[in-house]
């Protein structure tokens, strides 16, 4: 047992040649890297249907009922269950006797419990971890070093029958930072875009930076009136170093654009095109934003942003706190006041 704890299985090695009959009833995954976890889920889905659950949303009885379910048409149908926020589930699933009983009765199910907090050896030797490790495997999805990431990108491009310039690869890795899920999406876009070789110019033309991606995520959440997601995205922007005044100016530009469309006569798509919004997805997003706000909402927002700018530049109010408070106050009010409108 001690030797096993010293050497958790690398998740990439574990999934090589993995067969359904080799998967144990309960397994733990310590994950530092969401990308590796997503690759693992894809691999599992090749073997059997995968159900993804969140420990914070599961009560013990629901989990037990889930493990007792059989396939719709056959009792022999296998299903794999991956539980994120596994620490929350294990606060409820603590009884080692219950865990052993479940493992003995689970003929068509196997569970992977994902942990975000790294546990030391003494913690893993306590219940319920001790019993879980005796019954199953302990996998580890650690962050990849830069050399390995570089190698993975080149291999993916080459498997698609293409090449990538070294300077293009350098720039791509720089803008992606540590977010491998973001990197994966950008590589897939480049493979579709480039003919034979991905150049530096291709990367600059096709890819956005991670910071830009985070900013778009915040704008989408804000104009979708999703307060919780707006605050999470805003906090992320502050952490990665986006200047508060950049966020403020982008909010002003978006608000002006939406207000211009509201005040204009004519087809929404044509007006947006004149304002530089031409991509179908961007048009769809803007039409959705327009349906969430009245003209009066947008006028009040523009005025609010104007005074916010003055308070930061003239009265030296703390910018992060000031913008955060505005988002909370404005979205809380507009959520209760603004009706949805049809946008043609």
């Amino acid at each position: 047992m001690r030797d096993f704890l010293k050497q958790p299985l690398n998740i990439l090695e574990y999934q090589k040649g993995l067969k359904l009959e080799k998967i144990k009833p309960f397994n733990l995954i310590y994950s530092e890297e969401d990308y590796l976890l997503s690759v693992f889920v894809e691999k599992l889905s090749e073997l059997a249907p995968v159900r993804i659950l969140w420990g914070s949303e599961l009560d013990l009885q629901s989990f037990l009922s889930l493990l007792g379910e059989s396939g719709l048409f056959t009792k022999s149908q296998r299903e794999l269950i991956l539980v994120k926020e596994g620490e929350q589930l294990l606060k409820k699933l603590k009884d080692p006797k219950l865990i052993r009983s479940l493992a003995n009765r689970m003929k068509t199910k196997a569970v992977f419990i994902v942990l975000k907090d790294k546990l030391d050896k003494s913690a893993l030797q306590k219940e319920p971890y001790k019993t879980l490790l005796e019954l199953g495997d302990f996998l580890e999805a650690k962050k990849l070093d830069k050399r390995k990431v570089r190698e993975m990108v080149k291999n993916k491009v080459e498997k698609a029958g293409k090449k990538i310039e070294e300077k293009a690869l350098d720039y791509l890795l720089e803008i992606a930072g540590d977010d491998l899920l973001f990197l994966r999406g950008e590589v897939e876009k480049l493979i579709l875009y480039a003919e034979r070789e991905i150049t530096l110019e291709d990367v600059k033309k096709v890819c956005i930076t991670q910071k830009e991606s985070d900013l778009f995520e915040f704008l989408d959440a804000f104009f979708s009136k999703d307060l919780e997601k707006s605050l999470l995205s805003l906090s992320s922007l502050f952490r990665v170093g986006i200047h508060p005044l950049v966020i403020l100016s982008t909010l002003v530009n978006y608000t002006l654009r939406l207000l211009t469309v509201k005040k204009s006569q004519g087809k929404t798509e044509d007006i947006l095109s004149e304002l530089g919004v031409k991509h179908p997805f961007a048009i769809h997003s803007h039409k959705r934003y327009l349906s969430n706000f009245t003209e009066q909402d947008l006028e009040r927002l523009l005025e609010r942003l104007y005074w916010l700018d003055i308070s930061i530049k003239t009265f030296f109010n703390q910018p992060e706190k000031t913008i955060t408070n505005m988002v909370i106050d404005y979205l809380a009010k507009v959520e209760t006041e603004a009706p949805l409108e049809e946008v043609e």
Side-chain angles (χ1 to χ4, degrees):
M1 180 67 176
R2 290 180 181 175
D3 290 339
F4 176 76
L5 287 176
K6 290 179 182 177
Q7 297 180 337
L9 302 172
N10 182 291
I11 199 167
L12 292 174
E13 294 299 320
Y14 172 82
Q15 66 194 54
K16 287 181 180 178
L18 182 63
K19 295 182 179 179
L20 199 56
E21 58 269 20
K22 297 292 185 182
I23 297 177
K24 296 173 183 175
F26 282 105
N27 305 277
L28 294 176
I29 303 176
Y30 167 59
S31 176
E32 294 179 348
E33 181 52 71
D34 288 340
Y35 168 74
L36 293 180
L37 194 60
S38 71
V39 171
F40 181 61
V41 171
E42 288 179 5
K43 176 63 179 178
L44 292 180
S45 65
E46 295 174 5
L47 303 176
V50 177
R51 192 184 309 205
I52 299 177
L53 304 169
W54 278 260
S56 59
E57 299 174 3
L58 274 175
D59 59 66
L60 183 57
Q61 189 55 51
S62 298
F63 183 66
L64 297 180
S65 298
L66 176 66
L67 296 184
E69 290 178 2
S70 60
L72 184 60
F73 300 108
T74 171
K75 291 185 178 180
S76 63
Q77 182 178 348
R78 295 297 303 272
E79 183 181 38
L80 303 174
I81 299 167
L82 185 130
V83 182
K84 294 187 174 183
E85 300 177 353
E87 290 90 349
Q88 298 300 315
L89 172 64
L90 295 181
K91 289 179 181 178
K92 308 154 195 171
L93 186 66
K94 298 184 288 188
D95 185 351
K97 290 183 180 179
L98 174 60
I99 294 171
R100 289 186 185 279
S101 174
L102 289 171
N104 290 332
R105 290 186 282 121
M106 285 165 55
K107 305 302 181 185
T108 63
K109 302 282 197 298
V111 179
F112 292 89
I113 301 172
V114 181
L115 308 173
K116 280 296 184 183
D117 298 328
K118 190 173 180 65
L119 299 172
D120 59 26
K121 293 174 187 175
S122 62
L124 290 171
Q125 289 171 338
K126 296 176 182 177
E127 298 296 355
Y129 300 103
K130 181 176 182 292
T131 297
L132 289 168
L133 291 177
E134 289 173 359
L135 295 171
D137 288 318
F138 182 28
L139 313 180
E140 191 173 54
K142 298 193 74 172
K143 284 193 175 294
L144 299 173
D145 61 48
K146 293 183 179 180
R147 179 190 58 79
K148 183 66 175 177
V149 173
R150 189 182 191 90
E151 183 182 309
M152 286 175 62
V153 173
K154 292 183 78 170
N155 288 342
K156 187 173 182 65
V157 172
E158 288 171 2
K159 282 183 180 179
K162 299 181 180 182
K163 296 181 179 180
I164 182 168
E165 291 180 350
E166 288 298 319
K167 55 186 177 181
L169 181 54
D170 290 338
Y171 184 71
L172 178 60
L173 295 175
E174 180 183 339
I175 64 174
D178 294 328
D179 192 335
L180 298 190
L181 282 175
F182 172 80
L183 176 62
R184 181 186 190 181
E186 297 307 295
V187 171
E188 289 172 353
K189 285 197 295 186
L190 286 165
I191 288 172
L192 291 173
Y193 177 82
E195 292 187 7
R196 293 185 179 179
E197 184 175 40
I198 298 170
T199 65
L200 177 59
E201 289 69 29
D202 292 333
V203 177
K204 289 182 176 179
K205 187 173 183 179
V206 173
C207 300
I208 60 174
T209 67
Q210 180 59 52
K211 289 184 179 181
E212 287 173 323
S213 176
D214 290 343
L215 183 54
F216 290 141
E217 184 176 316
F218 164 69
L219 292 168
D220 183 71
F222 182 85
F223 287 105
S224 298
K225 298 199 295 187
D226 187 331
L227 177 57
E228 182 179 359
K229 189 174 180 182
S230 294
L231 293 176
L232 288 172
S233 299
L234 189 59
S235 176
S236 176
L237 288 174
F238 293 149
R239 282 199 307 272
V240 299
I242 296 288
H243 197 286
L245 291 178
V246 172
I247 300 171
L248 183 57
S249 65
T250 309
L251 270 173
V252 169
N253 290 337
Y254 263 64
T255 305
L256 278 171
R257 186 186 299 160
L258 294 173
L259 188 56
T260 300
V261 176
K262 283 282 189 185
K263 289 179 174 291
S264 300
Q265 300 292 325
K267 195 174 181 181
T268 301
E269 287 88 344
D270 295 338
I271 301 167
L272 285 171
S273 180
E274 291 176 8
L275 295 172
V277 181
K278 299 180 180 181
H279 192 280
F281 180 76
I283 291 172
H284 173 76
S285 296
H286 277 71
K287 290 178 74 173
R288 181 162 51 83
Y289 304 154
L290 286 163
S291 70
N292 286 337
F293 295 85
T294 65
E295 185 176 322
Q296 291 72 27
D297 288 331
L298 294 169
E299 288 174 342
R300 286 200 298 266
L301 176 58
L302 197 60
E303 182 179 5
R304 187 76 180 268
L305 294 173
Y306 169 75
W307 286 110
L308 194 67
D309 185 66
I310 291 177
S311 73
I312 293 172
K313 293 179 179 177
T314 305
F315 299 106
F316 306 106
N317 287 348
Q318 207 279 335
E320 287 89 349
K321 184 178 180 180
T322 304
I323 292 176
T324 300
N325 288 341
M326 184 280 295
V327 169
I328 294 171
D329 185 54
Y330 182 78
L331 287 185
K333 285 183 178 178
V334 81
E335 178 66 28
T336 58
E337 295 175 1
L340 291 178
E341 298 180 346
E342 290 293 329
V343 177
E344 298 181 358

